[in-house]
Amino acid sequence: MPTVTPAFSTIQAQGEIVPRIVWADIATGDTINSIAIPGQAAVAGSVQFGGTFGGATITLQVSNDNATFFDIKDLTATTISATAAAFFDFTTSAVYLRPAITGGAANAVDVTVCLRG
């Protein structure tokens, strides 16, 4: 299966520079590369899931060693997980971030994360 590497960019939003990370067209069975979160010791962020889910479940995960990953929780302590287009806010001080996908078929899910200091 293909390897999905995140694209990192910054966008200008009301005079502020906002880091943006996009993993495009994730499918079940893909190898998904993580990204080291740039910047401050802790960040607030948001994640948007979209695209074709085909019965898949997608989660957002964090790690401090880039080897063992854990599902991250949103601001209400609910695991960030979706089976259709969704949006979540979160905070983290973890070093690495990545999405994970399970189940489904014929899927192509886009994951967009924006970070704020």
Side-chain angles (χ1 to χ4, degrees), residues 36-77:
I37 299 172
Q40 298 84 351
V43 296
S46 62
V47 60
Q48 180 173 316
F49 299 120
T52 304
F53 285 76
T57 298
I58 192 146
T59 59
L60 189 63
Q61 298 182 326
V62 291
S63 173
N64 283 331
D65 63 9
N66 205 25
T68 305
F69 281 83
F70 303 90
D71 292 342
I72 191 172
K73 299 192 184 310
D74 68 10
L75 300 177
T76 65

Side-chain angles (χ1 to χ4, degrees), residues 97-108:
L97 189 66
R98 75 168 187 199
I101 189 168
T102 57
N107 36 34

Side-chain angles (χ1 to χ4, degrees), residues 8 12 14 23 27 38 40 60 73 80 88 96 116-117:
F8 178 84
Q12 188 86 15
Q14 297 180 333
W23 290 265
Q40 298 84 351
L60 189 63
K73 299 192 184 310
I80 294 178
F88 299 90
Y96 298 96
R116 303 276 181 147

